Amino acid sequence: MSISSFTFEPWAAIHQQRVEAALDDTLPVVDIQPERLHAAMRYAVLGGGKRVRALLSYASAELLGAPASSADAAAVSVELIHAFSLVHDDMPCMDDDNLRRGKPSCHKQYGDATALLVGDALQSLAFQCIADTNAPQALKQVQVLAQATGSRGMCGGQDIDLQSTGKLLSREALENMHQYKTGALIRAATLLGAYAADSTEEIHINLLNQYSQNMGLAFQVVDDILDATADTQTLGKTAGKDALQEKSTYVSLLGIDEAKALVTTLYEQTLQSLAGFDTQADSLRGIARFICERPF
Amino acid sequence: MSISSFTFEPWAAIHQQRVEAALDDTLPVVDIQPERLHAAMRYAVLGGGKRVRALLSYASAELLGAPASSADAAAVSVELIHAFSLVHDDMPCMDDDNLRRGKPSCHKQYGDATALLVGDALQSLAFQCIADTNAPQALKQVQVLAQATGSRGMCGGQDIDLQSTGKLLSREALENMHQYKTGALIRAATLLGAYAADSTEEIHINLLNQYSQNMGLAFQVVDDILDATADTQTLGKTAGKDALQEKSTYVSLLGIDEAKALVTTLYEQTLQSLAGFDTQADSLRGIARFICERPF
């Protein structure tokens, strides 16, 4: 495996800027009606986040030799879905969190009713943005994204999470919950990038499925570790929330050391699914390393 | 114009049953995870409503000679979007309404957090259901539905409504609000049915645009009249809400008599846009009559 001259950080910076510009273009401007809703949508989406899901879309497209421009809609749509989930998740009837990406969360800034509509409108915009491309595999992208978002994906995971709060989950139940809650969208982000190519072979989808399944899980374990160890300022969101809400996490279940060991194992498995590729998989490898080495 | 042997009621009953069965098939069953969310989704969607939007999809498909089976996904998707909007609209942070279709609204039955997720998951399911058909014009359907749902459609209209409560709106501003809030989805329902055909001519889209614009407005004026004149039991939802919430309506703006006259004018304009069609437009004519003659 040659990781040779590739360095992840500049690649990530370029693509983070790329998706930020594409999001800015996609979101309605604030001087068209309804102005306040558009301002709130932009507030909820722009200028924050690591854009991991967008990076996965771009990196997958790169694996298959598709240009970044063909993956812009995929990258934008997964970030819109992610942003909508954060807005709704922060609302008083859900996690009731006042801080997001270092600033007041959307409902604190604009009120609950507008935050509800912001989330709803961001979800529609995600699908519209894919459909607007009229690309050969756009319908497949809609299908994958819709499934990952709905009751058998992210929304379902949040419901399982709600039902599980205060209960002691088995490791299997915890993994199942996270496959829905965060794993489904991580997988969709990866696959949408692959479907940004004009055509996609089944073998690539299978490998990217393996890659993203391990990545999604690693991502969640790292999140649990950070929630337990980092402070609110570093995270840009309220730290220590899991323990406070009596949520089962990989840390509460395995302890910090075993959780860290699990991340290492998942990282190695993630790399294994890319073993058949040369430099065209460098960006996917870089994302895996970035996720698994987030400082803790 | 020959309306000859066509009678609307049996046609409507057949297609209401048809969409009910299709919704039942599309909604996840309650014994797959997450069970409670699936039960709540089914509670919010099944067994209620006049299914006007679904009827519009079927009638449009019929106008273009497409079989009802080709319009099932369109009919289901517009009803799912409508149901999601009702669930979110009834929540305490929005209209705070405890009654819907004669039973406790979704958040009263399942709690606010689940209701929030129900609406989110119903929206995803609407897009998934269209994408799953893999039909020739499915991507166009996604595009039209997403635009009608988002900030430049239904969600935008709800935000304009929120910002307008307690203010005296001009007739122009009221019409503008309703074009977003209810008109956009009525229009989408009509167009999605047309795009259920394998191909669709621009001239048909233009006529259906005219039809649905007048229909959407008529629908809203009738709704305002009913809210002011019918009782809660007849409506299956809380009556007299508009006056209570100090909302501008066609009744508060024009008075009952002028509002009724407006419905008649809109009904005539709706029929005019179908003047070039023979019996294949009978179901669209029947829906217009049904809407405009709802007892008041």
Side-chain angles (χ1 to χ4, degrees):
Chain A
M1 176 171 58
S2 74
I3 24 175
S4 59
S5 64
F6 179 82
T7 47
F8 175 69
E9 287 68 20
W11 181 91
I14 287 168
H15 289 85
Q16 279 157 345
Q17 283 162 28
R18 182 172 186 105
V19 73
E20 203 68 22
L23 284 164
D24 190 26
D25 276 356
T26 303
L27 287 158
V29 291
V30 293
D31 57 2
I32 61 167
Q33 203 193 24
E35 295 83 354
R36 191 167 175 277
L37 181 62
H38 289 154
M41 288 167 74
R42 300 180 75 86
Y43 177 87
V45 175
L46 296 175
K50 299 174 294 293
R51 307 293 185 204
V52 171
R53 291 157 193 81
L55 295 181
L56 283 167
S57 294
Y58 286 123
S60 264
E62 209 165 78
L63 182 81
L64 304 189
S69 58
S70 71
D72 282 335
V76 164
S77 69
V78 293
E79 288 297 329
L80 290 175
I81 294 289
H82 179 53
F84 121 60
S85 81
L86 297 182
V87 170
H88 281 184
D89 208 31
D90 285 341
M91 286 181 67
C93 68
M94 298 280 289
D95 271 5
D96 194 12
D97 206 321
N98 296 337
L99 189 67
R100 175 62 65 182
R101 291 173 177 168
K103 51 184 192 176
S105 42
C106 188
H107 69 278
K108 285 305 286 181
Q109 190 75 9
Y110 287 95
D112 295 356
T114 295
L116 181 60
L117 294 170
V118 162
D120 292 344
L122 291 177
Q123 180 173 181
S124 315
L125 188 59
F127 292 108
Q128 191 183 335
C129 144
I130 296 176
D132 281 349
T133 62
N134 217 12
Q137 300 196 89
L139 200 59
K140 186 75 197 168
Q141 291 179 313
V142 170
Q143 200 175 31
V144 170
L145 186 62
Q147 190 154 17
T149 303
S151 73
R152 300 284 292 158
M154 187 184 76
C155 294
Q158 284 180 311
D159 192 65
I160 299 170
D161 194 7
L162 283 172
Q163 311 301 327
S164 309
T165 300
K167 291 182 194 160
L168 187 65
L169 295 188
S170 69
R171 182 164 167 181
E172 195 188 355
L174 186 66
E175 189 168 324
N176 172 64
M177 176 179 90
H178 287 308
Q179 268 171 356
Y180 281 79
K181 198 181 166 197
T182 49
L185 192 57
I186 295 276
R187 175 177 171 271
T190 312
L191 296 190
L192 257 68
Y195 288 121
D198 285 350
S199 67
T200 315
E201 288 173 43
E202 196 60 26
I203 184 162
H204 289 148
I205 296 297
N206 291 342
L207 288 172
L208 288 171
N209 256 330
Q210 282 173 36
Y211 169 89
S212 58
Q213 197 159 350
N214 289 313
M215 262 289 297
L217 193 49
F219 189 84
Q220 189 57 51
V221 183
V222 171
D223 232 42
D224 285 355
I225 296 172
L226 288 174
D227 184 83
T229 57
D231 60 27
T232 296
Q233 199 178 356
T234 311
L235 288 181
K237 59 182 179 181
T238 312
K241 237 169 54 172
D242 295 334
L244 208 66
Q245 299 183 336
E246 296 186 336
K247 287 192 177 181
S248 294
T249 70
Y250 285 98
V251 173
S252 71
L253 213 66
L254 307 176
I256 292 277
D257 290 342
E258 209 179 315
K260 286 183 182 179
L262 177 58
V263 173
T264 306
T265 306
L266 289 167
Y267 176 54
E268 282 160 7
Q269 287 172 359
T270 306
L271 291 188
Q272 267 166 27
S273 50
L274 302 173
F277 297 98
D278 197 21
T279 54
Q280 73 269 38
D282 279 349
S283 47
L284 283 171
R285 289 187 193 102
I287 296 173
R289 201 177 61 236
F290 170 70
I291 292 304
C292 298
E293 288 181 355
R294 278 196 284 169
F296 50 74
Chain B
M1 175 171 59
S2 73
I3 24 174
S4 60
S5 65
F6 179 81
T7 48
F8 175 68
E9 287 68 22
W11 181 91
I14 288 169
H15 289 85
Q16 278 157 345
Q17 283 162 28
R18 183 175 185 101
V19 74
E20 204 67 24
L23 284 164
D24 190 27
D25 276 356
T26 303
L27 286 159
V29 291
V30 293
D31 56 2
I32 61 167
Q33 205 193 24
E35 294 84 354
R36 191 166 175 278
L37 181 62
H38 288 154
M41 288 166 75
R42 300 180 74 87
Y43 177 86
V45 174
L46 295 176
K50 297 173 296 291
R51 307 297 185 201
V52 171
R53 291 156 192 81
L55 294 182
L56 283 167
S57 294
Y58 286 123
S60 265
E62 211 165 79
L63 182 81
L64 304 188
S69 59
S70 70
D72 282 336
V76 164
S77 68
V78 293
E79 289 297 330
L80 291 175
I81 294 289
H82 179 53
F84 121 60
S85 80
L86 297 181
V87 171
H88 281 184
D89 208 30
D90 285 342
M91 286 181 66
C93 67
M94 297 279 288
D95 270 6
D96 194 14
D97 206 321
N98 295 338
L99 190 68
R100 174 63 65 181
R101 292 172 176 168
K103 50 184 194 177
S105 42
C106 188
H107 70 278
K108 284 305 286 182
Q109 191 74 10
Y110 288 94
D112 294 358
T114 296
L116 180 61
L117 294 171
V118 162
D120 292 346
L122 291 178
Q123 181 174 182
S124 315
L125 187 59
F127 292 107
Q128 192 183 334
C129 144
I130 297 176
D132 282 349
T133 63
N134 216 12
Q137 300 197 89
L139 200 59
K140 186 73 197 170
Q141 291 179 312
V142 170
Q143 200 176 29
V144 170
L145 187 62
Q147 189 154 17
T149 303
S151 74
R152 301 282 293 157
M154 188 184 76
C155 294
Q158 286 180 310
D159 193 66
I160 298 171
D161 193 7
L162 283 172
Q163 311 302 326
S164 309
T165 299
K167 290 181 194 162
L168 186 65
L169 295 188
S170 68
R171 184 165 164 180
E172 195 188 355
L174 187 65
E175 188 169 324
N176 172 64
M177 176 178 90
H178 287 309
Q179 268 172 355
Y180 282 77
K181 198 181 168 199
T182 50
L185 192 57
I186 295 276
R187 176 178 171 271
T190 312
L191 296 189
L192 258 67
Y195 289 121
D198 285 351
S199 69
T200 314
E201 288 173 43
E202 195 61 24
I203 183 160
H204 289 149
I205 296 298
N206 291 341
L207 288 172
L208 288 170
N209 256 329
Q210 282 172 36
Y211 169 89
S212 58
Q213 196 159 352
N214 289 314
M215 263 288 298
L217 192 49
F219 190 84
Q220 189 57 50
V221 182
V222 171
D223 232 42
D224 285 356
I225 296 172
L226 288 174
D227 185 82
T229 58
D231 60 28
T232 297
Q233 199 177 356
T234 311
L235 288 180
K237 60 182 179 182
T238 312
K241 236 170 56 175
D242 295 334
L244 209 68
Q245 297 182 337
E246 297 186 337
K247 287 192 177 179
S248 294
T249 71
Y250 285 97
V251 173
S252 71
L253 213 64
L254 307 176
I256 292 275
D257 290 342
E258 209 180 316
K260 287 184 181 178
L262 177 58
V263 173
T264 305
T265 307
L266 289 167
Y267 177 53
E268 283 159 7
Q269 287 172 359
T270 305
L271 291 189
Q272 267 167 27
S273 50
L274 302 173
F277 298 99
D278 197 20
T279 54
Q280 74 268 37
D282 278 350
S283 47
L284 283 172
R285 289 186 194 104
I287 297 173
R289 201 177 61 236
F290 170 71
I291 292 304
C292 297
E293 288 181 355
R294 279 197 284 170
F296 52 74

